[in-house]
Amino acid sequence: MGSLFRGSASGRVGLALLAVLAAAAVLSPVLASDRPLLSFGSEGPGLPAMAAYPILGRLVPAGRPGDRSVLACPIPYSPQGISLRERLEPPSGRHWLGTDDLGRDVLARIIAAAPVSLSVGLVASGISMVLGLLLGGIAGYAGGIVDLAISRLMEVVLCFPTIFLILALVAFLPPSIWTVMAAIGVTSWPEEARYARAEILRAKTLDSTLALRAAGARPARILFRHLLPGALPPVLVSATFGVASAILAEAGLSFLGVGVPPPAPSWGGILGISEAYLDQAWWLAVFPGIAIFLTIAAYNLVGEAWRQALDPLAIAPARTMGRGRWRQRRSIPAASIR
Amino acid sequence: MTRYLGRRVLLAVPTAAGILVAVFAIAHLAPGDAASALARGGRRVPPAAAAELRRIYGLDRPLPEQLWNWTRRAVRFDFGRSFQDGRPVAERIREALPFTLALNGCALVLTLLLGIPIGVAQARRAGRAFDRIVDGVLFALYSMPSFWIAMLLLALFSVRLGWLPLFGASSDLPASAGVVARGLDRARHALLPVLCLTYVSLAFFARMVRSSVAAEIPKEYVVAVRARGASWTRAIWGHALRNALLPLLTVVGLMIPGLLSGSVLIEQIFAWPGLGRLFYGAILARDYPVILALSTLTALLTLASILATDLLYAAADPRIRRG
C-alpha cells in the first residue's frame, strides 16, 4: 500500500499516524499499567503487565504480587486506578496529561481507549462494508424490481439522521460495545452500497461478463467470484472514510453517555466527564479531543489519498487561472493499482 | 417534466412507508415489550403508563395488525403522550421544532454564503499555495468532532472570558427590555451553537464546491466566454459556477440529516431547547412515544428535503426531466 501513495505526502502522513495509533492500541496493556513490565521474585522473572493480554498473557510468567519491580511501564498507572487524593490534578511530571474526577491518569485512559475506539470503528465499518457489497452488488446485478426495492431500502436508511437512528437502536437494545458497533454498522451501509452498485452496473455490461454468461456460469458465481472483487477498491475507499465516521459516532455516543459502557475508558467518555469541570480542568476537554481528531484525520487522509490514487481524473489537471498555464499534479496511473 | 415529477414523488411513497416500518421494527427489537423495557431500566412503571403503552402499540394484537395501527396513527401524527410529563407528544415537538429550525437554518444559510465563495476562490487558484492552505484548513476542520470544538469554545468564551452566555436560548430579561435587546440576547445565545454546526458542513460543502467548479473551469465553454471578452470573474461566477452548482443541489439535500444529527450533540452541550435535546432527553428517560415520533419526523423531514432538491435539480437541468 505504501507504493500506492507515492504521489501523496498527506496520504503518507495519514498512514504514519495510523501506524502509531495501531501500535498504541496493540501495546496499550504494556504502555499504561500499574503492574511492572518486568519483575523478579522467588519464582524467577515475571512479566505482570504482559499477562493482561487475552491469549498471549497465559503464555508468559505473570510473577507474583509481592515480586520486586525491575522495570515499570512507561506510564505506570492503571487506566482504572482510582486515586481520590489526586482528583483533577493538572498536567505535571507525575501525570503528563493530568487526572480525571476520580484521580485516574488521563494519558493512561486515552491509551487504553485506543483499542476500544479503533475496534468499534473497524468492526462497524466492516459490517457496513459487507452489507453494502452484498446489497449493492445484488441490486446492481439483478436490476429491475430487486434494484428498486434495495434502492428504496437505501433511501430509508439514508433518511434517518445517523445519530437519531443509532440513539434509538441503542435505547432499545441492551447497552454494550457490540450494540454500538452493530448500530453504527447497520446505519451506514448505503454509502458503500452506492459504490458497489455503480461498479457492478458498469462491470455487468463488459464483454468478459457476457463471456462468463455464455460459458454457463450461474449468476451468483458471476456476481460473487468475478464482479464483486472488482468492486472492492472503491468500496474499500468508502469504508476507510466509514471508519472515521464510525469512530466519530462512537465518540459522540460515549460523550452523551450511551456508548461504550463505563468503566471501560473511551475518548468520548472522558470528554463527557469534562463537561462538568469546564471551569477547572481544561486538560480533560483538550487531550481526548486531540486523540479523536488525529484518528479521524488519519483515516480521512488515507481515504482521500487512496481515492485520488484510484481515480486520477478526480484531480484532473487544473488550469491555473489568468496565466494560461497548465499545471498537472503528479498522479498515479490507474493501471498500477490493479 | 410532469412524468419525471410523478415518478419521483411515487418513488418517495414506498420510502416513506419504509420509514414507518423501520421505526416500527426498531420498537419491536426491544426484548419483551416496551413496557417491560421501561421496567428493565430499574424504574417502577406505573400500571397506567404500561397500559397506555400496550394500548398505543396494541401489543396484544397480531403483528400485521399492530403495524397497520401504527401506520394509521403515525400518518395522523398521533403518537400519544410523553411518559415524562404526560403532555401530547405533538405539543412537545411543536415547541421544540422552531428552535431546531432556527439553528439549522442559520447554519445552512451560513454554509452556503461562505462555502460558495471559498470554493470558487480555491478553484480559481487550483493547485496553488492559497488552494492548498485553505484545503488543509478545511480538511482539519472537517476532521474535528463538533462536540469537542463546542466544549472548547464554551470553556473559552463562556467560562473563562465570560463574554457569552453558558446555556439556553435566551436569558430572563426585564419586561422593559426592547426588541433590540432581546434580539441581541438571542443572537448571543445562538452564536456558538450556530458556529459549531456551521463549520463542519462548511468544510464539507466548500470542498465540494471547489472540486466541482475546478472541474468546470478547463471546459471549452469557459474559454469561449473569455474569448468573447468577458472577465475571468464573469466567466467563473456567471458560467462555470452555474453549471457546477447543479450537482451541488443534491449535496445540500443530503446535508440536512447531518445537520440534524449534529444538533443532538450541540443542543445538548448548549442546552438549546430544540428537537435534538428533546430526543436525547427522551432516550435517557426511555420515553418511547417521543423517541418514535421524533425518529419518524426527522426521517420524513429528510425525505422531504431530498425530494425537494431532486425536483429543483430537475427543474434546473432539462437532461434529467427528459429522462
Side-chain angles (χ1 to χ4, degrees):
Chain A
M1 212 149 92
S3 67
L4 201 66
F5 297 144
R6 214 174 308 137
S8 156
S10 55
R12 275 175 301 179
V13 171
L15 269 188
L17 262 175
L18 276 193
V20 172
L21 273 166
V26 170
L27 296 178
S28 65
V30 292
L31 275 177
S33 172
D34 53 352
R35 294 196 253 178
L37 200 57
L38 182 67
S39 66
F40 204 82
S42 51
E43 289 178 13
L47 299 163
M50 260 177 96
Y53 276 104
I55 297 160
L56 183 72
R58 280 192 225 135
L59 306 177
V60 298
R64 291 169 153 230
D67 286 357
R68 188 169 51 89
S69 167
V70 178
L71 187 64
C73 286
I75 296 129
Y77 301 101
S78 157
Q80 316 288 6
I82 295 175
S83 164
L84 290 176
R85 255 180 298 173
E86 299 175 291
R87 293 184 74 226
L88 299 175
E89 277 190 11
S92 65
R94 265 173 64 77
H95 296 285
W96 293 351
L97 301 186
T99 60
D100 70 1
D101 58 332
L102 297 176
R104 297 173 292 195
D105 186 76
V106 171
L107 181 56
R109 284 185 76 72
I110 288 180
I111 289 176
V116 181
S117 283
L118 290 182
S119 56
V120 169
L122 291 172
V123 172
S125 181
I127 293 174
S128 95
M129 193 176 86
V130 170
L131 280 176
L133 268 177
L134 273 179
L135 288 166
I138 292 172
Y141 194 73
I145 183 90
V146 177
D147 185 21
L148 202 67
I150 293 179
S151 297
R152 288 314 95 191
L153 188 63
M154 276 165 66
E155 203 171 70
V156 169
V157 178
L158 269 180
C159 274
F160 285 97
T162 332
I163 292 279
F164 277 75
L165 191 50
I166 296 173
L167 274 177
L169 284 174
V170 170
F172 285 99
L173 296 172
S176 85
I177 189 171
W178 303 106
T179 307
V180 175
M181 291 173 178
I184 298 174
V186 298
T187 52
S188 53
W189 59 268
E191 185 74 6
E192 279 83 5
R194 217 161 50 87
Y195 285 103
R197 180 175 171 273
E199 199 59 28
I200 298 295
L201 277 180
R202 194 187 57 76
K204 196 165 76 165
T205 59
L206 294 178
D207 285 344
S208 55
T209 311
L210 193 64
L212 281 168
R213 281 175 55 195
R218 283 177 297 115
R221 188 184 165 82
I222 300 180
L223 179 59
F224 291 109
R225 287 294 303 273
H226 297 276
L227 301 189
L228 276 183
L232 211 50
V235 173
L236 275 173
V237 170
S238 165
T240 308
F241 291 113
V243 177
S245 43
I247 290 175
L248 186 63
E250 182 272 317
L253 289 178
S254 300
F255 174 78
L256 289 173
V258 291
V260 178
S266 67
W267 296 333
I270 306 173
L271 265 179
I273 293 171
S274 81
E275 205 181 354
Y277 304 100
L278 270 187
D279 51 340
Q280 37 182 329
W282 57 267
W283 55 93
L284 279 183
V286 171
F287 297 120
I290 292 177
I292 304 174
F293 166 60
L294 288 179
T295 310
I296 293 176
Y299 276 102
N300 282 340
L301 283 171
V302 170
E304 189 89 4
W306 200 354
R307 180 171 66 194
Q308 294 192 355
L310 277 187
D311 182 13
L313 290 180
I315 43 163
R319 188 168 177 185
T320 52
M321 301 312 310
R323 310 244 156 92
R325 214 153 25 100
W326 292 85
R327 188 176 289 200
Q328 207 150 357
R329 278 203 209 162
R330 211 151 45 109
S331 60
I332 297 103
S336 73
I337 293 141
R338 312 247 160 179
Chain B
M1 180 69 189
T2 329
R3 242 188 98 197
Y4 173 80
L5 232 156
R7 195 181 129 78
R8 191 64 197 84
V9 172
L10 266 184
L11 276 180
V13 172
T15 306
I19 288 172
L20 292 178
V21 174
V23 174
F24 178 82
I26 293 172
H28 279 76
L29 280 178
D33 64 17
S36 66
L38 196 64
R40 212 160 34 91
R43 298 169 33 140
R44 203 176 55 82
V45 186
E52 168 89 348
L53 260 176
R54 297 214 166 81
R55 187 190 68 77
I56 289 175
Y57 306 118
L59 291 170
D60 42 349
R61 308 290 175 133
L63 216 56
E65 192 185 328
Q66 287 186 39
L67 177 60
W68 170 242
N69 284 338
W70 151 252
T71 310
R72 262 192 8 212
R73 292 161 34 78
V75 169
R76 281 178 288 143
F77 216 73
D78 168 20
F79 289 102
R81 290 168 181 275
S82 160
F83 288 168
Q84 291 171 87
D85 53 9
R87 288 162 56 212
V89 173
E91 193 181 305
R92 300 197 67 180
I93 291 181
R94 232 190 340 267
E95 281 171 15
L97 188 62
F99 286 100
T100 292
L101 288 184
L103 208 60
N104 288 309
C106 287
L108 195 60
V109 169
L110 271 178
T111 300
L112 298 182
L113 282 183
L114 295 172
I116 292 174
I118 292 177
V120 169
Q122 273 188 279
R124 287 184 71 159
R125 299 164 183 80
R128 303 227 304 265
F130 173 83
D131 178 33
R132 283 167 192 233
I133 291 168
V134 174
D135 198 53
V137 171
L138 291 177
F139 185 87
L141 283 178
Y142 182 68
S143 299
M144 288 180 187
S146 64
F147 53 94
W148 179 47
I149 298 298
M151 303 265 290
L152 296 184
L153 291 175
L154 201 60
L156 180 63
F157 290 107
S158 303
V159 176
R160 183 141 302 194
L161 298 172
W163 291 353
L164 292 168
L166 254 178
F167 57 82
S170 60
S171 340
D172 293 325
L173 293 176
S176 59
V179 181
V180 178
R182 282 178 195 282
L184 261 178
D185 178 57
R186 291 267 158 149
R188 275 161 44 88
H189 279 89
L191 181 63
L192 290 185
V194 167
L195 197 68
C196 291
L197 276 180
T198 306
Y199 87 82
V200 183
S201 53
L202 174 70
F204 171 71
F205 186 66
R207 302 186 84 215
M208 299 293 271
V209 173
R210 183 227 174 262
S211 65
S212 60
V213 173
E216 290 297 322
I217 286 176
K219 291 196 178 161
E220 284 183 353
Y221 72 88
V222 180
V223 182
V225 171
R226 281 286 286 143
R228 290 206 301 273
S231 64
W232 270 120
T233 305
R234 196 176 152 66
I236 287 171
W237 283 90
H239 298 265
L241 178 64
R242 286 180 66 164
N243 282 306
L245 274 182
L246 269 180
L248 290 174
L249 264 180
T250 323
V251 175
V252 174
L254 286 174
M255 264 159 46
I256 310 275
L259 277 171
L260 283 172
S261 272
S263 52
V264 173
L265 289 152
I266 296 299
E267 287 180 8
Q268 189 55 31
I269 294 170
F270 293 102
W272 185 265
L275 290 185
R277 189 146 183 271
L278 181 62
F279 188 73
Y280 179 64
I283 295 279
L284 286 191
R286 298 289 189 267
D287 189 347
Y288 292 103
V290 175
I291 297 176
L292 297 182
L294 277 180
S295 310
T296 315
L297 179 72
T298 49
L300 290 178
L301 264 181
T302 311
L303 178 63
S305 62
I306 292 177
L307 195 61
T309 47
D310 273 5
L311 296 180
L312 275 177
Y313 195 140
D317 188 346
R319 283 169 305 184
I320 299 286
R321 59 173 180 261
R322 298 217 181 101

